[in-house]
Every structure is written in C-alpha cells, then in structure tokens.
Amino acid sequence: MQDIEKHLLHRDVQDALELIGGRWRGAIMTSLCGSPKRFSELKEDLKPITSRVLTKELRYLEQNKLINVERSTAAANSVLYTHSEHGSSCGPIILQLRDWAIKHREIMLEYLKE
Amino acid sequence: MQDIEKHLLHRDVQDALELIGGRWRGAIMTSLCGSPKRFSELKEDLKPITSRVLTKELRYLEQNKLINVERSTAAANSVLYTHSEHGSSCGPIILQLRDWAIKHREIMLEYLKE
DNA sequence: CTGCATCCAATTCGATACTG
DNA sequence: CAGTATCGAATTGGATGCAG
C-alpha cells in the first residue's frame, strides 16, 4: 500500500513536470501570467522561440486545458491566448520556482568564489 | 529595462525547470524528501529507472549542489544521497506541483466525461 | 499575423551487458 | 552494491521557407 503510494507520488511529480516542463512550457505559462497575449506577442516575449515550436507548445497546453484559445471569427488572423482557470492556478507555483532558481544561482556563484 | 526584466523572468523559470525538470530529476528530489537513500534504494524507488540514467542524474544534481553525496571511506560500496540544505528548499515547491498535477488529472477526467 | 511543412542536429533515454 | 560501457531508438527542438 505504501509502496503504491510512493510510486504514485513520483508519477504525479513527473506528470506535473511534463505539463509545465521542457524548454518552453513553463516560460509560456509565465508569460501569460502577466496578461493575455497574441501569438506574435508571445513569440516576441519568448524570443528566440520559433513559430514552429511555439505553435506546438500552445497546442499542447490547449489540449491539456491549461490555456484558452480565443479564435476571433470577426478579425481573422487574430488569436488570443489566456490562462484557463486551472492553468492560472499553477502561476504562483511557477513564480516560487523562479525565486528558488534565483536563489540557486546566488548560491552557485558564492560557491565558485571559494 | 522592463524588457530585460521580463526576459530574465523567463530565463529563471527555464533555469528552474532545467534543474528539476526532465523525466527523473524531480522524482529523485521527491524521493529524497522522505529520507536519505542509497543508490539501490533510489533505483528501487524510482523503478523502472536504469542505473545508467540514475547515475547521470545524481551527478548532475550533485554538481548543482542540490544533493550531498557521502562516499563512505570505511565501508566501500556504500554511498548515501541526501538533500543539500538548498536542495531541500525546493521540496515544498515540488509537493505543490504534485498536488496541482493531481487536481489537473481530476479536471481532465471530468472534462472527458462531458 | 498565425501558423504549417520539411528537413536536420542534438539530446535524452532505455536495453543490455559488464566491473571492482 | 554502485556504478561503467556500448549501442540504438525516440524525442526534442532549431532553421528555413511557404501559405492563407
């Protein structure tokens, strides 16, 4: 029983890190924390991401309900990306990770001095 | 100025996700949250990880000061892996991620029912 | 502006076998 | 017990060009 739970624990962590891990997914979610954005704004914000990769990651996040995609029927070629309700709930966690990474860099730098 | 800060924000998130992201690093850190472990215990706990990959990831975490490695000189073939002080500070964040992933799964299942 | 198609390089990860 | 060596499959992600 405990064994099963332990394994599930790891699997959940792996799931989470697949959802927001990788080179770009966390950064995309971070970028959308500030405000909804269009494709070109994301591309600019996340430079040097390519449109191929940005498209792919946005589709992934959409399929996993972390973002909403508003494809305006009125104005063609205008698509707005926003956090889904559930997607926005991971924002604070990602920001904690960011703070942790900043602290980590300081620690590593200090260590290199010695 | 603000542009620079925004880009740095993304880079920090990317840094964090490189440190604990990927298939195994987060799971290893989670496993060490419970208690210090030896190589074989980690391998068992993280099954089906291979020793090749486990070795590589442990070396990475060691180099980045997230874990301590106690290579006992007395008893050969006995190595104990523990969180470093800084490494343990990411434990709570990872557990939040785990909880978030669990909630995510529930949401996805509910969505599939409709 | 928002993407898709093609091609390709690099990396990651696993299987398997072996060592002191 | 704690790894290392070798090989290969699969995935990821970048470059570039094109399309509606």
Side-chain angles (χ1 to χ4, degrees):
Chain A
M1 183 59 129
Q2 282 173 329
D3 276 0
I4 293 172
E5 280 176 10
K6 275 208 290 187
H7 281 292
L8 285 179
L9 189 98
H10 299 150
R11 229 170 290 188
D12 291 331
V13 171
Q14 289 174 324
D15 284 351
L17 287 171
E18 192 189 322
L19 284 167
I20 62 159
R23 177 100 171 72
W24 295 112
R25 299 217 258 266
I28 292 172
M29 293 303 286
T30 309
S31 181
L32 290 180
C33 273
S35 60
K37 287 195 174 60
R38 288 183 300 144
F39 188 88
S40 51
E41 292 176 307
L42 280 169
K43 189 156 155 47
E44 169 64 24
D45 198 22
L46 299 172
K47 199 158 46 181
I49 197 173
T50 65
S51 50
R52 175 197 184 280
V53 173
L54 181 54
T55 300
K56 219 175 127 232
E57 300 300 359
L58 287 171
R59 293 293 167 273
Y60 175 90
L61 294 172
E62 183 186 11
Q63 281 175 21
N64 286 278
K65 310 294 167 200
L66 299 187
I67 62 173
N68 293 131
V69 184
E70 297 171 28
R71 297 183 174 81
S72 148
T73 49
N77 293 338
S78 178
V79 180
L80 193 63
Y81 294 92
T82 65
H83 275 169
S84 71
E85 194 179 341
H86 178 242
S88 66
S89 72
C90 78
I93 305 179
I94 293 181
L95 294 184
Q96 287 178 59
L97 271 178
R98 183 208 55 182
D99 292 342
W100 177 79
I102 292 171
K103 207 175 297 174
H104 176 262
R105 181 164 43 240
E106 287 168 10
I107 288 174
M108 289 300 286
L109 285 175
E110 205 167 305
Y111 193 88
L112 290 176
K113 278 184 196 163
E114 294 166 9
Chain B
M1 183 60 128
Q2 283 174 327
D3 276 358
I4 293 173
E5 281 176 10
K6 276 208 291 187
H7 282 291
L8 284 179
L9 188 97
H10 299 150
R11 229 170 289 190
D12 291 331
V13 171
Q14 289 174 324
D15 284 352
L17 287 171
E18 194 190 322
L19 284 167
I20 63 159
R23 176 103 172 69
W24 295 112
R25 299 216 258 266
I28 293 172
M29 293 304 285
T30 308
S31 180
L32 291 179
C33 274
S35 60
K37 286 195 175 61
R38 287 182 299 144
F39 188 88
S40 50
E41 293 176 308
L42 279 170
K43 189 157 154 48
E44 169 64 24
D45 197 23
L46 298 173
K47 199 157 47 182
I49 196 172
T50 66
S51 48
R52 175 195 183 283
V53 173
L54 181 54
T55 301
K56 220 175 128 233
E57 299 301 358
L58 287 170
R59 294 291 169 273
Y60 175 90
L61 294 172
E62 184 187 10
Q63 281 176 21
N64 285 277
K65 310 294 167 199
L66 299 187
I67 62 174
N68 293 130
V69 184
E70 296 171 29
R71 297 184 173 82
S72 147
T73 49
N77 292 338
S78 177
V79 181
L80 193 62
Y81 294 92
T82 65
H83 274 169
S84 70
E85 193 178 341
H86 178 242
S88 67
S89 72
C90 79
I93 305 179
I94 293 181
L95 294 184
Q96 287 179 58
L97 270 179
R98 185 207 55 182
D99 293 341
W100 178 78
I102 292 171
K103 206 174 298 175
H104 176 262
R105 182 164 45 240
E106 289 168 7
I107 289 174
M108 290 300 285
L109 286 176
E110 206 167 304
Y111 193 88
L112 290 176
K113 280 185 196 163
E114 295 166 8

